[in-house]
Amino acid sequence: MAALVESIYKGITYRGAEGQWAWILHRASGLGIALFLYMHIVSIFVAAIGPGPYAWVHATLYTSPPAKVLEVFLLFGVLYHAANGMRIIIIDFFPTLGKYQRTIVRIELVLVAVVLVPAAIITLHSLF
Amino acid sequence: MRIKMRIRRFNPETDSSPWWGEYWVDVEATDRVLDALHQVKWYQDGTLTLRRSCAHGICGSDAMVINGRNALACKVLMQDVGDVCQVEALRSMPLIKDLVVDMEPFFAKYRAVLPYLINEELPAAGERRQSQEARARFDDTTKCILCAACTTSCPSFWANEDYIGPAAIVQAHRFIFDDRDTAADLRLRALNDVDGVWRCRTVFNCVQACPREIDVTRAIGEVKLALMNGGD
């Protein structure tokens, strides 16, 4: 645990460039997606208890206003993780593209934003 | 110009943990961080301990974390560090004293990739000839000076100090793609280990940190591809 904390401290305090922040965000989004999946499995399992608790849990977890905001974060996490994963795969198979990695990170973020912004508007529309 | 030097100090005989020492130095804009460290050591506190040898970016002995980023103290100019210059020892290496770390674990990994030409056959005409194209194949990775700036900037290495690290992979690359060498398989086998080349997460900190401007991640990528293709 101490090693993990120390490793996180080094990651935050080292002045890396786009690649380092892309990597940190990749890890954070991966953890977020994993947590969501666990939550999703538990929420589905509530159906075994009965329709009442199932409906209550789903109304709380997926349709309440805070859940809608979290849904946008989840969407960002999934989109970013997928896009960044593609960037890593591309650079792994074509190492010479590494010299353009800063540009590739920026293109990746633009692509994420292009999908995320309209999706976020649709998701949050019901709140206004 | 007057600059504040913040130096992470540690004396194993008197300190239980590292602490930040602050020193004011008068330097020229074109002085290097190493000159400022010399000022501190020679005129303010002789106990400050650091490594340096050639002081011209060739020997690689004065790699350290300067303002949060790995670099050679003899290559960073004071005009580029701002009003405060923060200096600390390389990370994730056993700290011996002040800015000096134990490089032995680093060199053990270097030795693990057999960093020398292996070819049991006698050269045909007294020497091993090589075309310019064949030499160019590994030219970039011949520039490594083993300063450890890349390896100690790597998040995979921070998380797992058993990771062989970018520097050793660069050294392996230098011989794997040398057409005079015959032991690429041995090196690739060493790099195919659980703590080998696959721990690279293409973070690119190593490329940014390398004082010799080696495209480290590209070299690592080429070794990964060589492994996938079952040889070089």
Side-chain angles (χ1 to χ4, degrees):
Chain A
M1 190 63 190
L4 177 68
V5 171
E6 199 185 323
S7 179
I8 290 171
Y9 167 79
K10 286 170 185 165
I12 293 168
T13 57
Y14 189 84
R15 232 160 34 93
E18 288 88 343
Q20 174 174 314
W21 294 108
W23 167 75
I24 289 174
L25 205 50
H26 193 78
R27 289 296 166 101
S29 60
L31 276 174
I33 294 165
L35 282 174
F36 170 77
L37 284 175
Y38 284 123
M39 187 188 82
H40 191 61
I41 291 165
V42 170
S43 71
I44 296 291
F45 175 75
V46 174
I49 301 171
Y54 178 81
W56 181 82
V57 164
H58 275 245
T60 310
L61 282 182
Y62 301 119
T63 55
S64 66
K68 285 285 172 195
V69 175
L70 285 176
E71 206 169 278
V72 174
F73 277 97
L74 174 69
L75 191 59
F76 169 74
V78 170
L79 287 171
Y80 175 79
H81 204 79
N84 197 54
M86 288 305 296
R87 178 182 70 94
I88 294 168
I89 291 169
I90 288 168
I91 290 174
D92 265 345
F93 278 96
F94 304 98
T96 50
L97 292 178
K99 60 185 165 201
Y100 305 114
Q101 60 102 6
R102 291 184 169 189
T103 310
I104 299 173
V105 169
R106 289 181 181 128
I107 292 170
E108 166 195 330
L109 290 176
V110 169
L111 288 176
V112 168
V114 164
V115 181
L116 181 68
V117 170
I121 291 169
I122 294 166
T123 307
L124 297 175
H125 182 69
S126 60
L127 300 182
F128 300 101
Chain B
M1 57 197 281
R2 195 161 169 76
I3 301 265
K4 181 158 86 173
M5 298 291 292
R6 288 190 81 229
I7 305 173
R8 201 159 188 247
R9 305 292 308 270
F10 176 67
N11 182 346
E13 292 173 0
T14 56
D15 303 326
S16 56
S17 60
W19 51 279
W20 289 98
E22 296 190 352
Y23 312 86
W24 287 91
V25 292
D26 289 306
V27 290
E28 299 291 328
T30 50
D31 278 346
R32 304 151 309 161
V33 172
L34 182 63
D35 298 312
L37 291 170
H38 280 158
Q39 265 204 45
V40 174
K41 181 171 176 64
W42 293 344
Y43 305 114
Q44 297 185 40
D45 185 348
T47 66
L48 176 66
T49 306
L50 67 143
R51 271 200 194 103
R52 51 94 178 101
S53 186
C54 78
H56 287 81
I58 298 298
C59 72
S61 58
D62 63 351
M64 49 190 78
V65 188
I66 299 170
N67 283 355
R69 189 177 286 171
N70 284 5
L72 296 184
C74 59
K75 284 193 80 172
V76 178
L77 298 181
M78 294 308 288
Q79 66 190 12
D80 297 326
V81 298
D83 296 330
V84 179
C85 178
Q86 186 167 296
V87 181
E88 54 188 302
L90 293 175
R91 298 170 177 202
S92 293
M93 303 276 264
L95 184 58
I96 294 176
K97 189 181 178 189
D98 293 339
L99 301 174
V100 175
V101 294
D102 181 4
M103 296 286 283
E104 184 45 38
F106 174 79
F107 285 119
K109 288 166 186 161
Y110 171 56
R111 288 192 293 270
V113 298
L114 313 174
Y116 38 83
L117 192 89
I118 299 174
N119 191 336
E120 299 299 330
E121 290 175 27
L122 287 173
E127 62 179 330
R128 299 186 199 284
R129 291 185 173 273
Q130 185 168 48
S131 69
Q132 290 185 3
E133 292 73 29
R135 174 63 176 73
R137 179 71 187 84
F138 58 92
D139 184 67
D140 197 34
T141 45
T142 61
K143 296 186 292 186
C144 177
I145 54 174
L146 293 169
C147 65
C150 59
T151 295
T152 56
S153 74
C154 174
S156 297
F157 181 68
W158 300 337
N160 177 5
E161 287 164 22
D162 292 328
Y163 170 42
I164 197 158
I169 301 170
V170 161
Q171 290 294 333
H173 179 284
R174 183 252 171 271
F175 290 100
I176 288 168
F177 295 99
D178 187 335
D179 65 353
R180 298 165 301 177
D181 187 272
T182 56
D185 288 348
L186 286 176
R187 297 190 187 89
L188 287 171
R189 202 177 304 150
L191 293 173
N192 204 15
D193 185 77
V194 65
D195 291 319
V197 73
W198 305 110
R199 286 215 180 270
C200 170
R201 300 289 187 264
T202 53
V203 177
F204 288 94
N205 276 6
C206 51
V207 178
Q208 182 195 36
C210 180
R212 305 286 294 167
E213 296 175 359
I214 299 171
D215 197 347
V216 182
T217 308
R218 175 181 173 176
I220 296 173
E222 288 177 351
V223 172
K224 284 177 180 172
L225 285 178
L227 274 167
M228 279 178 56
N229 297 331
D232 58 337

